[in-house]
Amino acid sequence: ARKVEQTYDISIHWYFPKDFNTTTSFDDAHGPDLYKTNPDTYDLLTKIEPSVRALRELKVSGWISGRRRDQGGERGNLPIVEMDGMPETGPAPIVTAIPRIKINPLAFWTHRDIWLYIHQHDIPYNILHDSGYKSVGDVMTTIPVKENDPERAGRFVGMNKTECGLHSHLARVKQLTSEGPIKSIPPTIPCPHCLELNSDNFDRLVLGVTSDGVATALTKDLLIEFYSPWCEACQEAGPHFSQIATALRSRYKDQIAVGRFDVTEHDIPNSAEAILHMKIESTPTIYLVQQNPLPTVSEYFSEHHDVATVLDWLESETSYVKSSDFV
């Protein structure tokens, strides 16, 4: 940031956590491990509150972000211009927000486009990028990555950010969707080849049991993702799961179907735990239900939700999925 000030002869407004100007003073007050013991509070104190204070004090009516579609997750459908609401008070974003224009000029740029432009125009950049850091976040949870790794693979290391705890997550969603001047709208995670499971159709589509208790034989296995559109980890994994659904449909549509269950919109049926022994404690959670002919259930335990890793797991669990079919 200092180099940017010097290069472009501008003054940057500097904002820190309220009442703290150094890492040492913050750690003395909250402990050095707050980012691990209470990450929500850490994010509120170090990121959300300073951002809100800056927007309010500087009377900002529009701002610019460097987000791009090729970063995946919820950014996959990023528009160039959008209305953005940042919280004005407290930790409950959106519901008490004042809308501002957010401009995403790099929405359609790629990682390669960015670096070509930087080198062509001698743009200042963080020197950590020269040491293998494709994305730079908190010093405690950011590591360098390999050349072919995803851009954000080195972020949130050791933080289990690949999933959202179900109960704490649902409590936050309830807060976000409470009545207010502006109601929250959940992000969209498209999956065109997924069955949309819910409390009403779960028993029929997963167990073959109708509403009047009549059992029917199911002929297809079912891959199920329990997810929430509000969950950042689900937003990151969503495009991969959609690709998995498309791939399985193209090769094995007679053997397996793919469905997903939105845990924020629907209560998880009692049969999921009582009969299928599913324990959904975080999202995203993936299960494979095989008809043998009675349902048998396998849980996907890996934190990696990329297409290749999930297909490798399906190959180990079934007799028909072959990863080599998708090479």
Side-chain angles (χ1 to χ4, degrees):
R2 294 295 186 191
K3 190 174 181 181
V4 168
E5 284 188 317
Q6 296 169 3
T7 300
Y8 299 109
D9 192 24
I10 60 174
S11 295
I12 291 177
H13 296 274
W14 297 81
Y15 280 81
F16 301 90
K18 189 174 177 59
D19 301 325
F20 302 101
N21 290 329
T22 67
T23 302
T24 300
S25 61
F26 183 88
D27 287 349
D28 286 344
H30 297 286
D33 295 325
L34 182 65
Y35 72 98
K36 288 191 295 187
T37 59
N38 196 335
D40 288 340
T41 298
Y42 174 80
D43 286 346
L44 173 65
L45 294 176
T46 64
K47 301 170 186 179
I48 297 175
E49 188 282 326
S51 296
V52 171
R53 183 159 31 97
L55 292 169
R56 183 178 61 248
E57 292 179 358
L58 300 175
K59 296 179 170 59
V60 173
S61 58
W63 55 340
I64 297 172
S65 92
R67 296 176 300 162
R68 308 191 315 275
R69 287 188 169 202
D70 74 336
Q71 290 172 320
E74 64 175 334
R75 304 180 183 188
N77 297 311
L78 190 69
I80 292 178
V81 179
E82 60 184 325
M83 292 302 297
D84 176 75
M86 279 293 289
E88 286 300 300
T89 57
I94 303 176
V95 295
T96 58
I98 294 177
R100 298 176 176 89
I101 294 175
K102 178 177 280 188
I103 304 171
N104 308 302
L106 306 180
F108 291 90
W109 286 38
T110 65
H111 184 263
R112 182 174 181 273
D113 293 333
I114 295 293
W115 284 101
L116 282 175
Y117 192 88
I118 287 173
H119 292 309
Q120 288 172 357
H121 298 276
D122 197 23
I123 306 294
Y125 63 89
N126 192 319
I127 60 172
L128 287 174
H129 289 295
D130 295 333
S131 300
Y133 291 83
K134 285 189 176 182
S135 180
V136 180
D138 292 319
V139 64
M140 310 84 67
T141 58
T142 306
I143 63 172
V145 296
K146 297 177 181 177
E147 183 178 352
N148 294 324
D149 283 343
E151 185 173 344
R152 294 170 65 81
R155 297 288 297 277
F156 309 116
V157 175
M159 293 297 295
N160 199 27
K161 285 280 188 174
T162 58
E163 61 181 32
C164 299
L166 184 62
H167 298 294
S168 60
H169 174 68
L170 291 180
R172 183 168 182 268
V173 169
K174 183 178 180 180
Q175 182 183 43
L176 285 173
T177 54
S178 62
E179 292 296 326
I182 298 177
K183 293 183 180 180
S184 301
I185 300 174
T188 300
I189 307 179
C191 189
H193 294 130
C194 287
L195 296 170
E196 295 297 338
L197 303 174
N198 56 53
S199 306
D200 295 328
N201 66 20
F202 186 88
D203 287 352
R204 175 171 56 84
L205 296 178
V206 181
L207 293 171
V209 178
T210 62
S211 58
D212 55 4
V214 177
T216 58
L218 298 178
T219 58
K220 289 185 183 181
D221 297 340
L222 184 60
L223 182 70
I224 306 173
E225 178 192 50
F226 291 88
Y227 82 107
S228 164
W230 297 95
C231 168
E232 291 183 9
C234 296
Q235 293 161 12
E236 294 289 336
H240 299 298
F241 195 73
S242 180
Q243 293 174 36
I244 292 165
T246 300
L248 293 175
R249 178 184 173 88
S250 70
R251 293 279 185 172
Y252 314 115
K253 65 180 181 179
D254 294 329
Q255 291 113 316
I256 188 170
V258 179
R260 61 181 188 171
F261 191 105
D262 183 347
V263 299
T264 58
E265 283 293 318
H266 308 284
D267 293 330
I268 299 170
N270 292 332
S271 58
E273 181 171 357
I275 299 176
L276 298 174
H277 305 294
M278 294 176 171
K279 293 186 178 296
I280 299 91
E281 297 177 343
S282 61
T283 57
T285 294
I286 295 176
Y287 282 99
L288 173 66
V289 181
Q290 294 176 278
Q291 308 297 333
N292 290 318
L294 295 176
T296 59
V297 178
S298 305
E299 182 176 358
Y300 179 74
F301 287 106
S302 174
E303 64 180 21
H304 301 290
H305 289 79
D306 59 280
V307 177
T309 305
V310 175
L311 288 177
D312 284 344
W313 172 70
L314 287 172
E315 181 173 11
S316 70
E317 295 290 333
T318 69
S319 61
Y320 51 87
V321 174
K322 304 296 180 187
S323 297
S324 57
D325 289 341
F326 304 99
V327 176

